[in-house]
Structures are given as C-alpha cells and as structure tokens.
Amino acid sequence: MGIYLVSTDPGDWADDEVLRPTALALDAELARRGLAPFAFSSGRGFEEKLYRPLAGYDRLADALTPGQSPLEWDLLLPVDLPEPFVLPVSSSYSDTTTVRGAGQVLATARTLAEALALPLAHIPADCGNLDLCAWFDSPAVSAHPGPWQDDLDTAFYAALYLRAAEHALREGCPMHYC
C-alpha cells in the first residue's frame, strides 16, 4: 500500500474506469486553449513509491522556487505548458486533476538537484520498478559523499521528481499518482 508515482500506459489512458475520463477532459481543455489533442506515446515504465517524509523537500522547493513546486500536480504531461491547469475530473487523491507540463517540473527539479549537489551520474536515471527507492536504501549512497546526504529524504524527492520529468519527456508518456 501507499502512493506510487507511475508512468501511464495506453491501456490505462483508454480504460473508462482508470484514466479515460481524464483523457477526454484533457483533450477538451486543450481544444478550448486552441491546442491539439494530446498524442500519447508509450515507452518503458516508471514506478517509484513515495515512502519518505516530504516536509524537507517541500520547504526546499518553497524556498528556492516559490510558486513552482514540482509537487503541485496530479497528471504530468510530456509537453511544455505555460501554466498548470485543473480538469474537473477526479484524480487518485483529489476531486479534480491538476495538470502540469514536464518541462516546467524538470526546470524546477534541476534547480533543487543542483542546490543539493546530488550525484546525478550515480543515481539511477531509468527508474523501472522502484530503482530509486532501492538505490537510496542501499550502501551505494555512502559511496558518494556530499551535502546532499544531510537529508536523504529531501534528496530522494529531488531525484524522484527530476527522474519522473525526464522520463515523461524521454518516453512521451504522462505520469500520475496511484
């Protein structure tokens, strides 16, 4: 049990009981804004569990990027959006669905990763099945000393949102919580 951040596959996107209502509302909102319907791509999967305390990460995001927290979305699209918007359909944890572009989340996540001096060359970039969770819980963490180790919970979320945005853009698939 718990909350997972996962990539969306075409089956979920088309399933009436899963994300199809969101897909229809998204296409309607994009049309209202004069944009083309969302073109779904799918690649390799992404799955990570949100199992650490978020408070430190939330404080860091608010301090370094006020009003741009990578946390404020329910559906992350692999596109650039000028601003987040809300769809009138429920998401896994809300009565509505806040949509944000991965490009904006990526920019904010990079800022946070740089501030923490994350050793990104050593942190898994392709997160299939809990790869970040496993890495942050492994002895590999101690092999890369630095100030980022002062708060591993905050470092975990900085890496998580960075890798999620990268994955969405690289694979062309939305990300959502379940």
Side-chain angles (χ1 to χ4, degrees):
M1 300 262 327
I3 299 173
Y4 290 81
L5 177 55
V6 299
S7 56
T8 303
D9 65 41
D12 286 344
W13 200 242
D15 187 327
D16 285 337
E17 294 182 19
V18 184
L19 288 171
R20 186 68 183 154
T22 302
L24 294 171
L26 174 63
D27 284 346
E29 179 61 22
L30 293 174
R32 189 185 75 71
R33 293 169 179 251
L35 301 171
F38 177 68
F40 192 96
S41 297
S42 94
R44 293 182 306 162
F46 180 104
E47 178 182 357
E48 292 294 340
K49 185 173 185 177
L50 284 71
Y51 70 109
R52 293 172 172 264
L54 267 166
Y57 179 79
D58 206 19
R59 280 192 302 275
L60 180 66
D62 285 345
L64 295 179
T65 59
Q68 300 176 37
S69 176
L71 299 174
E72 298 170 1
W73 54 269
D74 302 296
L75 180 66
L76 186 66
L77 292 181
V79 297
D80 283 327
L81 295 172
E83 59 191 30
F85 57 85
V86 178
L87 300 174
V89 294
S90 55
S91 61
S92 295
Y93 300 98
S94 177
D95 291 338
T96 58
T97 299
T98 301
V99 179
R100 192 166 202 141
Q104 291 76 18
V105 170
L106 180 60
T108 301
R110 282 182 176 152
T111 298
L112 300 176
E114 288 172 13
L116 292 168
L118 287 179
L120 293 176
H122 304 286
I123 296 173
D126 295 320
C127 305
N129 187 14
L130 307 175
D131 294 336
L132 281 176
C133 294
W135 190 85
F136 271 89
D137 289 340
S138 77
V141 167
S142 60
H144 309 288
W148 67 279
Q149 289 185 341
D150 294 342
D151 185 348
L152 289 178
D153 297 335
T154 297
F156 170 77
Y157 284 107
L160 173 70
Y161 286 107
L162 176 72
R163 296 308 192 210
E166 290 172 342
H167 181 88
L169 292 167
R170 181 178 57 247
E171 301 295 332
C173 64
M175 306 289 287
H176 70 281
Y177 298 98
C178 66

